[in-house]
Amino acid sequence: MARLYRSSRRRFGDYRQEIRNRRLQHDGDLPHDLQFVRQGRSTDRQRSFFTLFRAFWGLLFGHRAVIWLSLATAGISTVLALIPLYGTKVVFDNVLAGLPLTGLLAEWIPQDLGRRGLLTLVAGVMVAFALLALAVGMVGRWQMTRITKRVQASVRRRLFEHTVRLPLNRVQDLKAGGVTTLLREDAGGIGELLFAMLYNPFKAVIQLLGCLVILTWTDWRLLLGSMAILPVVWITHRTWIGRIRPMYRDIRATGQHASAHATEVFGGMRVVRGFSRQRSEAGRFTRNHHFLARQELLTWWWARGVDIAWSILIPAASAAILLYGGLAILRDMEAVDAGLLRPTDAFTPGDLVLFLTYLGWLLDPIATLAASATQFQNNLAGLDRVLDILNEKREFERTGQEIRLDGSQVAGGVRLRDVHFKYPGSNQMVIQGVEVDVQPGQTVALVGSSGSGKTTLCNLIARFFDPTSGSIELDGVDLRQIDIDSYRGLLGIVEQDVFLFDGTIAENIAYARRAASREEII
């Protein structure tokens, strides 16, 4: 018992050691008070990114047409937003420096506008394109936001329907608070992946490609120099991101454990107060959340590694390009003065400003892609945990050969033949060799001391569990051959502890009457 109440600092020390061990081996014994993490399979990043992406894409069935529409509008709005940036070159070269317009601009813009007219035209065009890009982008963002909420509701419903059909012992392991965490946080985070893994990265890629085309046309040598920063994306991903997702899984597992403990305490508040356990349970709650806070702070520092790298590299790259471009301008100005180069062929201040402007837009999506890779690791960890639950087998999986019961044709005879039973995960038999034959209409009372197996026997008759050996029959038919839903529709169960559904007393009475009138109660 001493290990159970160690301080969060010591538990965190064990956790740090476990993280170091993961790099050397994928499995091993965890400290005693980290065993709940193993139960959620959160100690390793079990699924690759592409496996998770395929699973995520499968969850989007029925919404994909709207998603493609949203991505298309995101691409269009991004391209429209890139066009006004070219106005900086026109302002610096053709307005401030007084150089003549060339190429398509000379054909589209009247030559008699003058510098003030040209400046006004450029400003108006930039505002118009910005507003158009905003309008198109808002359409896509609204559609993606709407689909995000629908996906969250869909995944939560699917997870709930699956969880309520898990084996009873597995539901008890999850506990109410743990299931609530899965439904609210893990399943809810899956919807947010629409932006983190689809919309924002797609928009960043379109912006990246557009900037690459414009920068290549401006000066390919500057572009090659600026692209030297791209390997950093791969390095940061390999160094940091591969280690972050398992840590996010651990955080979610710890939070689930803490929520389940709190639910358990308040559900058994009479026992807690009866044994004066308020202080010790409050201390346990505090230690759990201190441990959770330490995990979150550790993960925060790992995630900041990517931000720090880019915070240093982007200004350094911009300064290097500024130095190179400034020297190129001075060189070409000397060549123009010496008559060795035409002014229209020189590298101008407008070219440098244009390049730096688009370079910022080029580096921004790269930084977004790198940063988003850390940001959505948390939601990917939630998706991973949800897939763990959805992949678990349901209670008494159907084969399609089960018998569906008609209540009007069921006599109600129940017979137990040499029933033996032990709970899952235990080697000790709770019931051995039980033989009972209950005739239709007969009333039977099970009497015995506490722990003698009365509740277990009732659970077997209700088929919350199947016998380890032997059989239970209804009118001579083994319960394992009967459809579980149609069988339980015949039962009326009254527990020792009163349970009411959320609602008024009248609503609970009406619910019970509807259930009783739908099927005959044994």
Side-chain angles (χ1 to χ4, degrees):
M1 293 298 291
R3 291 177 58 86
L4 185 63
Y5 295 102
R6 287 184 303 168
S7 68
S8 63
R9 184 185 299 275
R10 293 188 62 187
R11 292 175 62 191
F12 184 67
D14 290 337
Y15 175 70
R16 292 289 301 272
Q17 183 60 45
E18 174 61 23
I19 291 177
R20 289 189 287 268
N21 292 341
R22 290 178 196 174
R23 304 169 194 171
L24 302 177
Q25 58 184 10
H26 292 289
D27 203 357
D29 294 332
L30 287 176
H32 174 77
D33 47 8
L34 292 179
Q35 288 297 327
F36 64 89
V37 178
R38 169 62 54 81
Q39 295 172 5
R41 276 202 320 108
S42 60
T43 58
D44 294 299
R45 189 180 60 171
Q46 298 290 333
R47 299 178 179 87
S48 67
F49 169 79
F50 295 104
T51 301
L52 289 173
F53 184 84
R54 286 194 297 269
F56 174 65
W57 188 250
L59 294 174
L60 301 181
F61 181 79
H63 307 294
R64 295 171 186 170
V66 179
I67 291 173
W68 283 116
L69 173 64
S70 299
L71 294 179
T73 57
I76 294 172
S77 65
T78 302
V79 172
L80 291 174
L82 289 174
I83 296 176
L85 300 179
Y86 191 81
T88 57
K89 173 177 170 57
V90 177
V91 171
F92 274 87
D93 287 349
N94 306 114
V95 176
L96 301 180
L99 297 176
L101 295 170
T102 59
L104 294 176
L105 292 179
E107 298 177 10
W108 294 345
I109 300 177
Q111 297 293 330
D112 57 352
L113 277 180
R115 293 188 180 184
R116 284 183 170 77
L118 180 59
L119 180 61
T120 303
L121 177 63
V122 170
V125 170
M126 292 178 70
V127 171
F129 271 99
L131 293 176
L132 183 60
L134 176 63
V136 175
M138 285 301 296
V139 173
R141 289 190 67 85
W142 158 247
Q143 293 296 332
M144 190 65 80
T145 301
R146 184 173 62 88
I147 295 301
T148 295
K149 301 306 176 183
R150 296 185 64 180
V151 168
Q152 287 177 335
S154 174
V155 173
R156 282 170 173 155
R157 175 186 58 80
R158 180 175 174 181
L159 181 62
F160 183 89
E161 291 177 348
H162 186 87
T163 305
V164 297
R165 293 183 177 274
L166 291 176
L168 191 60
N169 64 299
R170 179 60 177 138
V171 175
Q172 292 170 345
D173 288 340
L174 290 173
K175 300 181 181 178
V179 174
T180 301
T181 300
L182 285 167
L183 291 170
R184 184 183 65 250
E185 298 182 6
D186 294 348
I190 292 176
E192 298 175 3
L193 286 173
L194 282 167
F195 277 99
M197 196 159 58
L198 290 179
Y199 188 87
N200 292 336
F202 179 80
K203 187 175 180 180
V205 169
I206 296 298
Q207 184 174 326
L208 176 65
L209 295 176
C211 290
L212 286 176
V213 171
I214 297 173
L215 291 177
T216 303
W217 175 64
T218 304
D219 192 311
W220 62 270
R221 292 165 297 183
L222 283 174
L223 177 63
L224 289 179
S226 62
M227 292 301 290
I229 201 173
L230 288 181
V232 179
V233 178
W234 183 84
I235 294 174
T236 55
H237 177 84
R238 297 294 299 176
T239 303
W240 283 288
I241 295 171
R243 300 174 181 177
I244 289 176
R245 193 195 310 162
M247 296 169 69
Y248 276 126
R249 281 195 60 133
D250 292 345
I251 288 173
R252 288 180 177 271
T254 303
Q256 178 182 345
H257 174 75
S259 298
H261 167 253
T263 303
E264 189 178 59
V265 169
F266 281 96
M269 186 54 66
R270 289 186 179 182
V271 176
V272 172
R273 292 182 178 179
F275 288 88
S276 299
R277 297 279 299 176
Q278 298 96 320
R279 187 182 184 87
S280 60
E281 294 300 333
R284 184 180 173 189
F285 177 85
T286 302
R287 285 190 295 272
N288 285 337
H289 281 81
H290 281 180
F291 178 55
L292 175 62
R294 293 177 188 275
Q295 286 182 299
E296 291 173 335
L297 290 173
L298 176 64
T299 306
W300 183 89
W301 273 113
W302 275 99
R304 295 292 73 75
V306 179
D307 296 340
I308 292 173
W310 282 99
S311 298
I312 296 173
L313 288 170
I314 290 179
S318 300
I321 296 299
L322 181 63
L323 178 62
Y324 177 86
L327 293 175
I329 292 174
L330 295 176
R331 184 187 64 245
D332 287 358
M333 289 176 61
E334 293 173 355
V336 170
D337 293 339
L340 302 175
L341 187 67
R342 293 183 302 176
T344 54
D345 296 332
F347 191 79
T348 65
D351 290 327
L352 180 58
V353 172
L354 176 68
F355 193 92
L356 289 173
T357 301
Y358 279 106
L359 178 64
W361 276 60
L362 172 70
L363 296 178
D364 179 67
I366 296 176
T368 298
L369 290 174
S372 63
T374 61
Q375 292 169 0
F376 67 63
Q377 291 305 313
N378 190 11
N379 291 330
L380 278 182
L383 172 61
D384 207 2
R385 281 160 48 82
V386 168
L387 293 177
D388 287 346
I389 298 296
L390 293 178
N391 288 338
E392 292 187 22
K393 291 185 178 181
R394 294 186 177 188
E395 175 192 41
F396 313 128
E397 289 282 359
R398 293 171 172 79
T399 63
Q401 305 298 321
E402 291 83 4
I403 301 172
R404 290 195 62 83
L405 299 177
D406 183 354
S408 60
Q409 300 178 3
V410 175
V414 177
R415 184 172 184 178
L416 285 72
R417 296 177 178 268
D418 192 26
V419 171
H420 293 69
F421 176 73
K422 61 181 179 181
Y423 282 100
S426 172
N427 295 321
Q428 182 179 1
M429 285 291 180
V430 181
I431 292 177
Q432 301 183 57
V434 175
E435 294 272 357
V436 178
D437 189 359
V438 182
Q439 298 299 317
Q442 185 177 4
T443 301
V444 175
L446 302 176
V447 181
S449 60
S450 178
S452 60
K454 302 185 299 298
T455 301
T456 300
L457 194 61
C458 292
N459 287 337
L460 290 172
I461 295 174
R463 209 191 169 194
F464 293 144
F465 302 96
D466 278 337
T468 304
S469 64
S471 64
I472 301 177
E473 299 175 355
L474 174 66
D475 293 342
V477 180
D478 195 317
L479 294 185
R480 283 170 285 208
Q481 302 175 10
I482 300 175
D483 179 78
I484 186 64
D485 290 336
S486 65
Y487 172 67
R488 286 183 181 158
L490 303 174
L491 303 179
I493 300 175
V494 179
E495 296 278 357
Q496 283 180 305
D497 297 326
V498 177
F499 175 81
L500 296 177
F501 290 98
D502 187 23
T504 64
I505 298 295
E507 290 171 343
N508 275 267
I509 294 175
Y511 177 85
R513 287 175 176 172
R514 287 197 301 270
S517 63
R518 184 172 64 251
E519 299 285 356
E520 178 184 355
I521 297 179
I522 297 179

